[in-house]
């Protein structure tokens, strides 16, 4: 019911009855309870054609409930507060110290959760819970982050329970790419798509038939070792040209330094320096033809090969790019991926494969994690993990 | 209801009420109708502990309904008749002439459909329809086979409607790998698996969360251009070492001839000669160490790479091998794939990835196509394509 109202923004009881197949009486009873709970409100009347009396329109009451979304990326932690409509009403970021104790970082995350709730002046009783998106693999059943890249001291950290203890709120742990795909599903058109996540690693969030694909242990989306460049560098897995290894900003910056496009003095072991250099490389590539553009075009061609494999396996109709390193790459990148995919999508005679960037920017992971908590309001049959 | 009875083989009304959540009265009404329709029968009584009266057991009536399953493989067409329990009660094969008119082959298939119905003496009124599994890509909406490999005269053949016209039965068209996955789902344990199809091409039938994954246009499962051997031969797609290209019997036989294991005289353009030579190569590999075994081990390693990519993307718990070229490869092959996958499945710390061969043999595609027709009896909400 709530989801039907959410998706159309506003709706009358008559339209709800048509959309849900419930009787007018049943609709009226449910709506009365939703009004009492403060989750929907009446929003004016709709003129009808003909003789019927005007219909009262219903909208979600944004302040009816809230959810916190956290995205734990090794480079930056993003914390958002979403209202019931999924709008971001407060947002904070914090940079995790690279070799710090998990306890210290979880303390900082808990404090930031409190900060976004306070900033929006959201009544605590209306905050349903916290969704946290973390790099995989995760042990979803135990709420444990197994071994995230670039957080060297994190091994088997019981993130879900630790955060629940500190905040007193139910907590739901999800893989970062899955959360990002959930965000895209929440705001985007229906369809079968991969959210291609460009972060410290690459990953694939999957939505098929309007369902998020999580796999056996909620760890779907691992694509780092797809071979995309047979003549590429040797990956730690022993093979050449894995997409994860050759998509890292560190690798691209190294290529640019080697080609003389960026200064020799960049310290490749300093993540922030590498991130800044990667931004400069993308800016140079956007300026016009040259070595910088060739490096980014070659990246687009490698990524396109991984997209091709996933899209052909799952007969997708869309690829959506996002993640922390997506924004600097910009619209140039989509064009290059499209060009590289040309003629390679097996069922192109039957339907096209759309290539696009997320409209959610770098916050997709955090928004997705929060939206999964809100999903619990809209589809109560799905339990919040913390309540198991 | 029928599916609950099918899955447990026999069940009492009381157990059915527990399994479905329906009232005893509702169960009794439904069962009465199923008994009248001849779809279930009473099969003795079950002693109960305590004071209750003995419960009447219900079983499927195998002769209650039938479905025909056809697998159109370029090398051989298999036609089976399934009874309501999914048992094969009749089976015929025919070898399609390589460069023949589609009309001639469809005539032959229609005649074989009649032959299996006649052989089992199945009353025509109880034959629900024909499921036909064909190589992709297919245009599922129009029931059209777009461009199958090795059937050079087949382009945009309206197989579904042609076969419906000739047999007078509803016809359902499905991709071969999807049908094979459906068969495995019908007989096998639940789980998230790929049916890895080794035929004229390779393909991946997918089942996740007990649902068959078809994708946007029922063409999911295309994996032929996954790169598995960076130093392999150049594929027609322009890249090196695609899994489809390097898994063909023709390629393996060519390798064996080149290495002096098989006779120079084999005509690589004669499919039947190549198939026979491939059988000899597999037999040599099974005999013991040597060049033949090295060729098959290298094949297993390439296939393992494609399995690795799919299993990591979808967080699978099982890979099931099958298809026309699976049987000669035999159990040796599973061991080699397992060895090659060792350490490469990303979430191996969380759950294992089982590697196994199908128990359905070369008939998986045909059985699967028939089981999809039977599914219609068990889940009536899914329309038979021919009835749209």
């Amino acid at each position: 019911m709530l989801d039907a109202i959410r998706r159309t923004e506003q709706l009358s009881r008559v339209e709800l009855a048509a959309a849900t197949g419930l009787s007018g009486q049943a609709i009226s009873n449910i709506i009365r309870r939703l009004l009492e709970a403060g989750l929907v409100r009446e929003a004016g009347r709709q003129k009808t054609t003909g003789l019927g009396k005007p219909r009262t329109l219903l909208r979600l009451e944004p302040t009816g409930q809230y959810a916190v979304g956290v995205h734990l990326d090794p480079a930056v932690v993003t914390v958002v507060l979403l209202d019931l409509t999924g709008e971001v009403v407060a947002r904070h970021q914090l940079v995790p110290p690279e070799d710090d104790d998990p306890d210290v970082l979880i303390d900082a995350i808990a404090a930031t959760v409190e900060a976004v709730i306070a900033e929006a002046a959201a009544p605590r009783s209306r905050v349903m819970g916290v969704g946290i998106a973390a790099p995989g693999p995760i042990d979803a059943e135990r709420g444990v982050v197994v071994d995230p890249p670039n957080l060297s001291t994190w091994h088997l950290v019981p993130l879900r329970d630790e955060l629940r203890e500190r905040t007193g709120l139910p907590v739901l742990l999800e893989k970062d790419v899955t959360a990002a795909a959930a965000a895209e599903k929440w705001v985007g058109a229906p369809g079968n798509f991969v959210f291609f996540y460009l972060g410290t690693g690459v990953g694939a969030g999957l939505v098929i038939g309007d369902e998020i694909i999580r796999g056996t242990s909620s760890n779907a989306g691992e694509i780092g070792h797809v071979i995309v460049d047979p003549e590429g560098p040797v990956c730690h897995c022993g093979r050449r040209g894995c997409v994860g290894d050759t998509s890292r900003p560190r690798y691209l910056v190294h290529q640019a330094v080697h080609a003389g496009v960026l200064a020799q003095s960049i310290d490749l072991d300093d993540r922030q320096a590498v991130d800044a250099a990667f931004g400069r490389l993308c800016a140079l590539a956007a300026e016009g033809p040259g070595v910088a553009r060739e490096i980014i075009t070659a990246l687009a061609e490698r990524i396109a090969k991984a997209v091709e494999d996933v899209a052909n396996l799952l007969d997708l109709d869309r690829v959506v790019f996002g993640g922390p390193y997506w924004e600097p790459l910009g619209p140039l990148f989509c064009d290059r991926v499209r060009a590289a995919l040309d003629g390679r999508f097996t069922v192109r005679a039957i339907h096209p494969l759309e290539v696009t960037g997320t409209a959610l920017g770098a916050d997709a992971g955090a928004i997705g994690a929060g939206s999964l908590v809100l999903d619990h309001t809209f589809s109560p049959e799905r339990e919040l993990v913390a309540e198991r």
Side-chain angles (χ1 to χ4, degrees), chain A:
Chain A
M1 185 79 56
L2 280 173
D3 204 43
I5 300 173
R6 179 182 85 77
R7 285 183 180 273
T8 53
E9 293 201 0
Q10 52 183 31
L11 211 58
S12 70
R13 287 175 179 80
V14 174
E15 290 163 318
L16 271 174
T20 60
L22 294 174
S23 72
Q25 186 56 46
I27 296 281
S28 291
N29 288 339
I30 294 169
I31 293 299
R32 191 183 334 111
R33 287 210 301 274
L34 292 176
L35 285 165
E36 281 165 13
L39 297 178
V40 301
R41 60 176 156 133
E42 298 188 332
R45 284 165 181 264
Q46 183 185 41
K47 283 194 190 128
T48 53
T49 52
L51 298 170
K53 60 176 184 178
R55 296 168 179 174
T56 304
L57 291 172
L58 298 162
R59 300 190 71 127
L60 290 186
E61 171 53 56
T63 64
Q65 271 180 346
Y66 297 89
V68 181
V70 181
H71 181 189
L72 170 60
D73 183 86
V76 61
V77 178
T78 306
V79 181
V80 296
L81 187 73
L82 304 181
D83 69 19
L84 187 57
T85 68
E87 280 298 303
V88 175
V89 293
R91 174 180 184 276
H92 282 213
Q93 288 195 312
L94 64 117
V95 175
E98 221 162 307
D99 44 2
D100 214 342
D101 195 78
D103 263 349
V104 178
L105 182 54
I106 298 174
D107 278 342
I109 292 173
T112 313
V113 168
E114 300 303 335
V116 292
I117 295 172
E119 188 183 306
R124 206 178 171 78
S125 62
R126 298 199 156 201
V127 179
M128 299 183 55
V130 180
I132 182 159
I138 60 171
D139 184 333
E141 208 169 304
R142 293 182 181 77
V144 167
V145 175
V146 176
D147 211 2
N150 279 2
L151 284 168
S152 54
T153 61
W154 283 53
H155 296 289
L156 296 172
V157 174
L159 180 58
R160 184 187 66 201
D161 293 353
E162 294 282 335
L163 198 58
R164 178 173 51 181
E165 227 167 73
R166 283 169 173 82
T167 60
L169 294 164
V171 177
L172 175 156
L173 174 66
E174 191 73 75
K175 219 174 120 160
D176 46 11
V177 294
T178 307
E184 196 64 33
K185 172 175 176 285
W186 178 272
V187 300
N192 305 305
F193 66 89
V194 54
F195 188 103
F196 202 106
Y197 183 90
L198 294 157
T200 305
V202 297
L206 298 167
V207 173
I208 298 182
D210 219 32
E211 294 286 331
I212 297 167
I213 300 289
R214 289 186 171 81
T216 305
S217 64
S218 293
N219 279 303
E222 296 290 335
I223 52 167
H225 295 290
V226 171
I227 299 173
V228 294
D229 180 10
E231 284 154 33
V234 176
C235 174
H236 67 86
C237 79
R239 298 204 191 93
R240 277 192 184 278
C242 293
V243 67
D245 197 45
T246 61
S247 300
R248 279 180 228 292
R250 191 185 193 281
Y251 174 71
L252 302 163
V253 168
H254 169 77
Q255 283 188 310
V257 169
H258 192 74
V261 182
L262 293 176
Q264 294 280 349
S265 58
I266 295 163
D267 177 0
L268 290 175
D269 293 321
D270 177 342
R271 196 176 59 211
Q272 294 189 358
V274 168
D275 282 1
F278 175 65
R280 283 201 301 282
L281 174 62
C282 292
L284 283 170
E287 275 172 17
V291 177
R293 178 164 288 186
E294 280 164 26
I295 289 171
I296 298 301
T297 298
L299 170 68
E301 286 167 356
R302 292 194 298 273
I303 300 263
K305 172 57 184 151
V307 168
E308 176 195 332
D309 284 2
V310 177
N312 281 333
L313 176 67
L314 297 171
D315 189 10
L316 301 179
D317 55 23
R318 188 158 38 121
V319 48
V320 182
F321 285 104
Y325 294 123
W326 159 245
E327 264 176 305
L329 286 168
L332 174 71
F333 189 74
C334 271
D335 288 342
R336 299 296 172 199
V337 171
R338 242 176 247 124
L341 276 169
D342 189 38
R344 294 202 175 270
F345 182 50
T346 309
V347 295
R348 61 192 174 276
I350 295 163
H351 64 89
L353 176 66
E354 191 191 343
V355 178
T356 175
T358 178
L360 294 167
D363 289 348
I367 293 172
S371 77
L372 287 166
V373 174
L374 290 177
D375 265 346
H376 184 60
T377 307
F378 293 107
S379 315
E381 69 275 14
R382 193 166 171 248
E383 270 183 284
L384 273 190
V385 175
E387 294 170 0
R388 268 188 201 153

